[in-house]
Amino acid sequence: MRSSTPPWNGWIGLIIEDYWSRLETFRRLSTSCCIISNWKGHPKPHDSHKTASGIPGAIQLLIRYGVWLKKVLLRVLTMTLLGMAVGTCVALLAVGFVEVVEWSNEILLISPRSRMIEGDTVWLTTATIAVPTIGGLLVGLLCLLIPERRPHGPPDAIQAAQSLDGAMPVKAGAVSALAAGISLGAGASVGQYGPLAHIGASVGSWLSRAFGNSRYLGTIGIGCGAAAAIATAFNAPIAGLVFAHEVILRHYSLRAFAPISVAATLGYLVANFAFDRQPLFRVEKFAIVSPYEFLGFILIGVAGAVLATVFMKAVLYAAKLAKSLALPAPFKPALAGLMVGIVALQIPEVLGIGKEVLRFAIIENTFTAYELVLILIAKLILTAMCLGFGFAGGIFSPGLLIGILFGTLVGYGVDAVFFDQRSHIALYAICGMVAVTSPVIGAPLTTILIVFELTRNYDLATAAMVSVAFANLVGYRIFGRSLFDIQLHMRNFDLSLGRDKVIIERRRVGDFVSDDFTRAAADTSLQSVRDSLLHTGRTVAYAVDDQGLYLGMLSINQLMELGVKEVAIARIEDYATPGPLILSPDDSLWDAMVKLEDFVGESIPVVDEGRLIGVVFEASIVRAYLKALNEIRSEENAAA
């Protein structure tokens, strides 16, 4: 495990090294002066202003202050520069990624504008089917380059941050970004915000290594990258900051807060001023007409949680279905792309992330109720199929679109009840958007802040808050915290009981095996074993045969009860018992702790393929658990 102490002698320290060298020169000069003074016969051993070494106390105090000040300045400087570097790089990459996707959509006849101006109907039909299919095949081939044979996404960033590692693989991140660009450019029904968050987290992890090999720097770098990506994508710096803490890091340490804030702010500045990126949608200053509408917002929250659960379960089912298909891996996303193309011939709104559909859905009477239902169902099924069959992309954007379509439908229903007392349809649409999206990604605060930063509308943010509250309350009960957590759980990375369980599960019993025990060979007499236990003060000996295979344990109480004749002639294997507990070196420390609940004894034998390789002490397991807790708490409560 890497040390948690940052290597402050890296290249960042050169920026203020001049200050430190001057302080060192001053210290050496003062020491030399004191030595010369003593050599001349003028020592003052009882001078209260000098230390035992002869250096005046004020100077030593100044030196100690200088050392402390150097560490503080270097930490502040490192954190600031890390946030600035990650925020700028991620913002530029995010803008470039979105521009390339939009350009691809135009030339490949995916965007509504390019489809409208294309005059060749035959070519449009051919491209509609061929482009997603070929795109799926390319993505499937690219995924063969990734060790897990799947594109990486936000769950992988969460796993890296929560495992106290902070290191994300370069190759898998680069290939996943390319696969996501191809997926989105080819019109697959996936989202762009998940890939952007993963790209940002990966870049943050990579750049943090230039600032030192500290574990916590890598984790903070991941948070900075994710925050900058969301801030750039949504023009919402506060939402980006909260997203990094709420979804990725899952804590709010002061040490991480400052650099992540810097990264999110720079992402916003690059998107808003350097490139003048337009927000996802614009909403006028609508107000809530009737207080009774809050009942509708609650209904949207509850029903939105149910819809979000159906959506997430559809994604998981599609992934399970894809594994059962007897097709080569690259052809599975191609099959999903083919289905997207076929459906798009009748419902072109399912192509891509559906940004135009999302914007038009918040305008009164743009779509009929039938069209809303049709697009919603098609988008839900095709998104689940694309993600489950191997396309690289996120679930955030499809969740936004499905939620807005759902909220607009509810608004139409409310219109039949309240008539002219119903607020603008955009208010219901956005409540539906956050009610579906928030349970999917497990980020209630982030979704509320996105609404507030995009609209600057307090009434709308209040209505969204009510829907989000009930959506998360119901969604957590019927599904779980988020789709990301369920996907990690399926990879044996369970965050439901906290980070300490995750860390302990990743540590193996074999790392704590000790050879400090009494071994009793098969040809050893029981008298010798008893004498050895009495001499060492141990209470248990572990018996093995000639091949080192574990036979069982012999307790001192058991041996003391034997008579002289039994001790002299009895064989070890006749008295060795398996014992109450045996561990394997591959057992996790968490499993060992669970097994230790009812254990009473000195140590536990560790057996590998029948051979005794050592013992593990209960105290060693407890110390490892406490050490993991201390590491987690020190990271979560770090102030600087």
Side-chain angles (χ1 to χ4, degrees):
M1 183 179 297
R2 292 176 292 180
S3 172
S4 60
T5 303
W8 299 115
N9 59 347
W11 65 268
I12 295 297
L14 295 177
I15 299 175
I16 61 171
E17 191 62 33
D18 181 63
Y19 161 78
W20 179 243
S21 63
R22 292 175 186 270
L23 187 62
E24 280 290 298
T25 301
F26 179 72
R27 183 188 66 79
R28 291 171 183 170
L29 181 61
S30 63
T31 303
S32 300
C33 291
C34 291
I35 292 173
I36 292 172
S37 175
N38 290 337
W39 177 73
K40 287 184 177 182
H42 300 286
K44 298 180 180 180
H46 301 294
D47 192 345
S48 61
H49 297 287
K50 291 188 178 182
T51 62
S53 63
I55 302 176
I59 295 177
Q60 282 224 339
L61 181 62
L62 179 62
I63 293 171
R64 286 196 295 269
Y65 176 76
V67 173
W68 172 81
L69 183 61
K70 176 193 176 184
K71 291 182 178 180
V72 171
L73 290 176
L74 278 173
R75 288 188 180 187
V76 172
L77 184 61
T78 300
M79 294 300 180
T80 303
L81 291 179
L82 177 62
M84 293 175 64
V86 174
T88 303
C89 291
V90 170
L92 293 173
L93 286 173
V95 171
F97 183 87
V98 173
E99 290 289 342
V100 169
V101 168
E102 291 180 351
W103 173 79
S104 300
N105 289 164
E106 288 292 329
I107 65 171
L108 297 176
L109 303 180
I110 299 300
S111 68
R113 175 181 174 277
S114 63
R115 296 178 64 85
M116 288 178 61
I117 63 177
E118 176 58 44
D120 191 339
T121 307
V122 175
W123 173 241
L124 180 62
T125 302
T126 303
T128 301
I129 296 177
V131 169
T133 305
I134 296 174
L137 182 61
L138 292 176
V139 169
L141 292 172
L142 278 175
C143 289
L144 296 178
L145 302 176
I146 302 174
E148 297 85 356
R149 297 294 189 271
R150 59 168 178 79
H152 285 198
D156 298 279
I158 297 171
Q159 182 173 351
Q162 296 301 309
S163 60
L164 292 180
D165 186 6
M168 297 184 65
V170 176
K171 179 181 178 181
V175 174
S176 298
L178 179 58
I182 294 174
S183 299
L184 291 162
S189 183
V190 293
Q192 69 177 4
Y193 301 117
L196 286 176
H198 180 259
I199 291 171
S202 299
V203 171
S205 174
W206 303 339
L207 287 179
S208 67
R209 298 170 197 174
F211 291 78
N213 61 357
S214 172
R215 180 188 65 237
Y216 78 79
L217 277 178
T219 302
I220 293 175
I222 291 174
C224 288
I230 295 301
T232 305
F234 286 100
N235 277 345
I238 302 176
L241 168 68
V242 174
F243 175 83
H245 286 285
E246 186 178 29
V247 177
I248 306 296
L249 301 185
R250 313 223 172 163
H251 64 80
Y252 288 86
S253 72
L254 291 178
R255 180 163 62 188
F257 186 84
I260 292 176
S261 299
V262 171
T265 303
L266 277 171
Y268 170 75
L269 292 176
V270 169
N272 213 39
F273 295 100
F275 292 96
D276 193 23
R277 299 290 301 174
Q278 296 300 312
L280 182 63
F281 53 80
R282 295 185 182 276
V283 178
E284 298 178 14
K285 291 291 183 179
F286 299 121
I288 299 174
V289 174
S290 170
Y292 295 107
E293 288 184 287
F294 278 95
L295 295 176
F297 305 149
I298 294 174
L299 174 64
I300 288 177
V302 175
V306 176
L307 180 59
T309 300
V310 172
F311 184 29
M312 292 184 284
K313 285 186 177 294
V315 173
L316 298 177
Y317 175 78
K320 184 178 179 181
L321 177 63
K323 289 182 179 179
S324 66
L325 292 179
L327 279 176
F331 290 98
K332 293 179 181 179
L335 177 61
L338 176 63
M339 294 301 299
V340 170
I342 292 174
V343 175
L345 293 176
Q346 298 297 322
I347 314 174
E349 291 85 359
V350 300
L351 289 170
I353 64 174
K355 189 180 297 183
E356 291 78 9
V357 180
L358 185 146
R359 289 170 176 168
F360 281 114
I362 61 177
I363 301 174
E364 293 275 6
N365 302 317
T366 302
F367 295 104
T368 65
Y370 173 76
E371 290 172 331
L372 292 173
V373 172
L374 194 64
I375 298 172
L376 189 155
I377 294 175
K379 191 68 178 177
L380 189 153
I381 294 174
L382 290 176
T383 300
M385 190 171 184
C386 286
L387 292 175
F389 277 57
F391 268 109
I395 198 170
F396 201 168
S397 300
L400 293 175
L401 179 55
I402 292 171
I404 274 189
L405 296 174
F406 162 72
T408 303
L409 272 172
V410 175
Y412 286 172
V414 171
D415 188 42
V417 177
F418 290 102
F419 301 104
D420 58 342
Q421 292 301 308
R422 194 249 304 159
S423 300
H424 194 277
I425 197 67
L427 194 144
Y428 288 87
I430 292 175
C431 285
M433 178 188 78
V434 295
V436 172
T437 306
S438 179
V440 170
I441 65 173
L445 291 178
T446 300
T447 50
I448 294 171
L449 287 171
I450 286 175
V451 170
F452 185 73
E453 289 191 275
L454 286 179
T455 65
R456 305 293 198 274
N457 188 328
Y458 185 80
D459 279 2
L460 187 53
T462 303
M465 181 177 67
V466 173
S467 297
V468 165
F470 282 89
N472 280 269
L473 182 64
V474 175
Y476 182 83
R477 294 296 179 185
I478 63 178
F479 183 82
R481 170 162 178 165
S482 70
L483 179 63
F484 300 152
D485 283 41
I486 298 301
Q487 289 173 331
L488 288 173
H489 180 71
M490 294 170 65
R491 302 174 197 171
N492 297 319
F493 195 89
D494 185 10
L495 287 168
S496 60
L497 296 181
R499 299 177 71 192
D500 51 344
K501 179 177 184 293
V502 170
I503 303 303
I504 293 297
E505 277 188 328
R506 295 170 67 86
R507 297 178 182 176
R508 300 297 156 193
V509 168
D511 298 330
F512 300 89
V513 171
S514 172
D515 58 0
D516 184 18
F517 67 98
T518 299
R519 183 187 297 266
D523 56 354
T524 307
S525 67
L526 291 179
Q527 180 65 51
S528 298
V529 175
R530 184 169 66 181
D531 293 343
S532 176
L533 291 176
L534 291 173
H535 177 71
T536 59
R538 298 191 180 108
T539 61
V540 177
Y542 297 97
V544 295
D545 64 10
D546 297 336
Q547 285 76 39
L549 297 177
Y550 180 62
L551 298 176
M553 55 183 291
L554 298 163
S555 69
I556 185 64
N557 293 334
Q558 177 187 15
L559 296 176
M560 294 299 293
E561 292 175 355
L562 298 178
V564 176
K565 182 177 180 181
E566 292 173 306
V567 169
I569 64 174
R571 297 184 304 172
I572 280 183
E573 55 264 30
D574 294 334
Y575 288 90
T577 58
L581 181 60
I582 297 176
L583 296 176
S584 166
D586 294 328
D587 286 341
S588 70
L589 284 186
W590 181 267
D591 293 334
M593 290 184 64
V594 173
K595 294 177 182 179
L596 282 171
E597 288 183 359
D598 300 321
F599 173 78
V600 177
E602 181 180 276
S603 57
I604 307 102
V606 180
V607 178
D608 184 21
E609 296 182 353
R611 302 179 67 85
L612 178 68
I613 63 172
V615 299
V616 64
F617 298 100
E618 186 175 4
S620 299
I621 297 176
V622 173
R623 278 196 298 269
Y625 178 68
L626 293 177
K627 183 179 179 181
L629 281 182
N630 288 334
E631 291 175 350
I632 293 169
R633 299 299 175 260
S634 64
E635 179 181 305
E636 294 178 349
N637 299 306

